[in-house]
Amino acid sequence: MKGTNTLQLPKEHVKLAIQKEGRLTESTLELLHTAGLHIEAYKQRLFSSCRNFPLTVLFVRDDDIPEYVSEGVVDLGIVGKNLVVETQQVVEELLPLNYGHCTLTVAIPRESSIENIQQLAGRKIATSYPITTKKFFEEQNIDVDIITISGSVEVTPALGVASAIVDLVSTGSSLKLNDLVPLKTVLQSQSLLIAHPASVQDETKAPLIDSLLMRFRGVMNARSFKYIMMNAPTKNVPAITELCTGLRSPTVLPTADPEWVAVHIAVPEDDFWNIIEQLRILGSQGILVTPIEKLFL
Ligand code: PRT
Ligand code: ZN
């Protein structure tokens, strides 16, 4: 699109597949909503159009998302990395979305005499992730007998079906409940935005995908920073500036008292408490913390 046509919306929509009902659904819908994408009510529907962006959202089972994306049925998908790896579909991983965190883990009964994965050689391993599990043990040169189970993998050791399992773990309470303990991590997973490789090259779709990426990054950056306003002794501004990593220097504003300034900074959520402590040591007062709605770096 050029010149006077730039306001004209492209006819083609970008299609995004998300999980219809499950662990990723709520966070995914929240991400879309916070990114300013208004999706119509979806409960009974296969797909829904976005009111204010040329985007159509498809609601499907998460297992089908990697294949839909690799086949180009949809341009984009949001799905756990665990399924991207397991399904071995060719997709582009555009952006980790920082929710749906879990680990694919080898776990054994608490009472088991097994102490390391080498001792699993020749044993039966139950999993819903046979491909990832096979690859993992092959890479370690350990010959195991993999049994594919579609659900409730964690009960198989108690039933005598397997000596160990490979399953997703987040809080670990399911392992505990079944008297299992983790032995080794196979894969760290979180939800990912994935794309059909040709869609990111397509001249109509690529700018729309870029625009969605920019919005998602804006939401994610905002979540990982907090905005802090405070009064600080003027003499400590250099030390306060040093504390502030990641984003550009703090904004420093004069106050009626030349010995004091007002300082505004964005600090990373991960380091937030440490920075607050340091700011207090540096004599800052009236520290006001606010969430950031969107942040474009
Ligand atoms: O119906 P559909 O096929 O769409 O959904 P599903 O039932 O196959 O998937 P769902 O909704 O259970 O999970 C969707 C995605 O969430 C997974 O593919 C992972 O990427 C991610 N995820 C994050 C998890 C977990 N955490 C998780 N804990 N998926 C499954 N679990 C299981 C775990 O295996 C255990 O059985 O949840 C149970 C509780 O785990 P703990 O460790 O919290 O006790
Ligand atoms: Zn599934």
Side-chain angles (χ1 to χ4, degrees):
M1 290 187 293
K2 281 192 189 129
T4 53
N5 286 334
T6 47
L7 287 177
Q8 202 182 321
L9 282 178
K11 287 203 182 70
E12 213 162 344
H13 273 209
V14 166
K15 297 185 207 81
L16 165 71
I18 69 170
Q19 190 183 24
K20 184 177 171 68
E21 204 158 11
R23 275 165 218 276
L24 301 182
T25 309
E26 199 185 322
S27 302
T28 301
L29 288 172
E30 197 195 318
L31 172 69
L32 298 180
H33 178 78
T34 317
L37 302 163
H38 298 153
I39 313 294
E40 304 288 337
Y42 73 97
K43 279 281 178 210
Q44 315 301 333
R45 307 165 67 163
L46 171 63
F47 61 88
S48 189
S49 289
C50 180
R51 274 191 280 120
N52 55 353
F53 195 92
L55 172 76
T56 303
V57 178
L58 266 82
F59 303 97
V60 294
R61 286 201 60 193
D62 66 345
D63 309 61
D64 298 330
I65 293 175
E67 191 175 344
Y68 282 171
V69 173
S70 76
E71 294 291 323
V73 175
V74 292
D75 305 293
L76 298 171
I78 293 180
V79 68
K81 184 178 173 79
N82 50 304
L83 283 178
V84 175
V85 173
E86 179 66 18
T87 56
Q88 296 188 302
Q89 297 292 330
V90 178
V91 298
E92 268 198 42
E93 297 184 15
L94 293 186
L95 188 68
L97 297 171
N98 204 18
Y99 59 86
H101 287 277
C102 55
T103 57
L104 190 62
T105 302
V106 183
I108 51 170
R110 189 183 304 280
E111 305 303 324
S112 170
S113 59
I114 288 165
E115 285 171 355
N116 54 53
I117 52 165
Q118 282 72 25
Q119 292 172 353
L120 288 171
R123 306 274 194 137
K124 292 194 166 98
I125 316 277
T127 186
S128 311
Y129 290 83
I131 291 168
T132 315
T133 302
K134 182 165 181 278
K135 194 160 166 263
F136 171 77
F137 281 102
E138 274 175 5
E139 278 167 9
Q140 314 278 329
N141 278 320
I142 303 167
D143 194 16
V144 293
D145 184 4
I146 294 167
I147 299 171
T148 307
I149 308 270
S150 57
S152 301
V153 171
E154 63 279 5
V155 303
T156 55
L159 297 175
V161 175
S163 306
I165 64 166
V166 171
D167 201 8
L168 294 177
V169 176
S170 50
T171 63
S173 58
S174 175
L175 289 188
K176 269 205 190 100
L177 211 63
N178 290 283
D179 262 328
L180 299 167
V181 288
L183 185 66
K184 182 96 181 166
T185 296
V186 175
L187 178 83
Q188 297 277 8
S189 182
Q190 62 173 296
S191 58
L192 297 178
L193 177 69
I194 56 172
H196 178 56
S199 299
V200 290
Q201 306 291 340
D202 181 285
E203 65 172 38
T204 310
K205 291 177 177 176
L208 296 173
I209 293 172
D210 278 348
S211 167
L212 288 173
L213 263 174
M214 193 255 314
R215 290 175 183 227
F216 292 158
R217 286 201 182 104
V219 173
M220 289 172 59
N221 289 338
R223 285 178 184 165
S224 55
F225 284 92
K226 289 257 185 286
Y227 198 69
I228 301 184
M229 291 166 270
M230 75 202 104
N231 291 322
T234 311
K235 63 179 168 42
N236 287 344
V237 167
I240 290 174
T241 306
E242 271 199 19
L243 268 182
C244 173
T245 54
L247 283 187
R248 66 186 177 84
S249 314
T251 305
V252 180
L253 306 163
T255 68
D257 181 347
E259 300 208 338
W260 285 84
V261 285
V263 180
H264 295 193
I265 57 173
V267 302
E269 176 82 53
D270 288 350
D271 211 16
F272 174 73
W273 288 107
N274 176 35
I275 290 177
I276 292 289
E277 266 171 42
Q278 302 291 324
L279 289 173
R280 287 177 63 84
I281 291 168
L282 289 167
S284 300
Q285 291 179 2
I287 303 174
L288 179 72
V289 181
T290 64
I292 299 172
E293 197 187 300
K294 310 275 187 311
L295 177 61
F296 301 99
L297 296 173

